[in-house]
Amino acid sequence: MKLYSDKALAKILDQEIFHQISSVADRLGVECYVVGGYVRDIFLERPSDDIDVVVVGSGIQVAQELKQLLGKRAHLSVFRNFGTAQVKFHEMEVEFVGARKESYSHDSRKPIVEDGTLEDDQNRRDFTINAMAICLNESRFGELVDPFNGIADLEDGIIATPLDPEVTFSDDPLRMMRCIRFATQLNFKIEEETFDALNRMADRIKIVSGERIEVELNKIMMAPHPSIGLEYLQRSGLLQIILPELSALDIVEKRDGKAHKNNFYHTLEVLENVVKAQGSLWLRWGALLHDIGKTRSKRWEPGVGWTFHNHNIIGAKMVPGIFRRLKLPMGMEMKYVQKMVDLHMRPQVIADSEVTDSAVRRLLNDAGDDIDDLMTLCEADITSKNEVRKKFFLENFRMVREKLADLQVKDYKRLLQPVIDGNEIMEMFHLKPSREVGVLKQYLKDAVLDNKVPNEREPLLELLTQKAKQMGLLS
């Protein structure tokens, strides 16, 4: 990997904010360093506006003095409980903290914090590529302090811990998720000893809150190739703890010479296909969970082979529990993913037979505004290595899309709701909200969807009266 040259580094540091910090630090007689992700991203040619500065002394004092120097151009926020301060200057946010050392108890991620040296501060960093520091004091301005050779790991594309990885992960188990997240985002390899520690320490993830795990999982999901991280999670044993329903798909059973595919790796392939199609975070979650019900639905049927009947329905019922456990949002996002899982077989069933207007109308009615996303997921789900079969399905999906477009142009969405609603049905037959009202509403809706009658009042009233007599609601 080609990294920034010293000349390019000097150019990035030749900004007013860094020279002003340098001036303040020298006047106060303290050492001052840019650290962590900002330094890493300079060398990866990914400069950002979020800057972390470690002061061997009081970070708050340096921030306050910097605010005085910059005047009205800067905004200062002080967080005394955490010993930090933030200065916003133009588009930049500079976070100041005093150098510190940390110690942990076995049952908590919250460290005991003491003042420390730069060496102490670098020792507590999670990975070598995040442990580099650049001095801002005038006498050493721009000097890289890299005790763990993070530059070499950047060049080699390696994620490794500065100290014993087992201690690093035991102290703060969230670092295991961050390890995999960085490997995924940067397309780096996890160093062998570090990965072995992930395996040994995986159980420690149980003390981390669902909210923290959710943040890291979503960052993995939004990476250019999320399958890298999900495979690392599976191989390390972390996935079995945080998302066992997905981990359970990583199996192939064989009976009478017939084996089903590995649904875990199929899922990763579907997810990558959705990413190629520019899928949103929640469509990616739909792809990740689309076959989640296959473990519970799997059956061996003599003469038929392995079946997964109703896995979409079973999977959709599992989605709320997964979202609740992972602290994912339980509102529209969860319902959207549930819909994707529930309906992902429908376009395939349509494409596998004659593409009729009636079937497409029903699909459009059930998918609503999410129909394009559903079709994207279904197309991504075609991972067959049989090119003839793959071509057949994709061609039929193209026809389904054409039918959908045609029906949407004709504004069928508006027409799919019968002109007689539930309130009128209750009034006509003197009913309270009940199962009977639901049956009558669905009967009218099916009639419209199947094109048995036009969506007009008179023919629907006639149909409704006949059905009500059958149900004993009219004599």
Side-chain angles (χ1 to χ4, degrees), residues 102 161 252 266 298 302 335 364 413 438 460:
E102 298 175 342
T161 59
V252 175
H266 162 72
K298 182 168 64 175
K335 291 177 181 177
L364 180 57
K413 268 181 77 176
L460 284 176

Side-chain angles (χ1 to χ4, degrees), residues 261 265-267 269-270 273 348 378-394 397:
K261 65 186 172 189
Y265 285 97
H266 162 72
T267 294
E269 196 172 346
V270 174
N273 287 341
Q348 187 166 326
C378 294
E379 287 160 353
D381 198 18
I382 305 302
T383 62
S384 173
K385 300 303 180 278
N386 183 326
E387 290 301 321
V388 174
R389 178 173 170 78
K390 188 173 182 178
K391 186 176 180 181
F392 168 78
F393 274 116
L394 291 176
F397 280 148

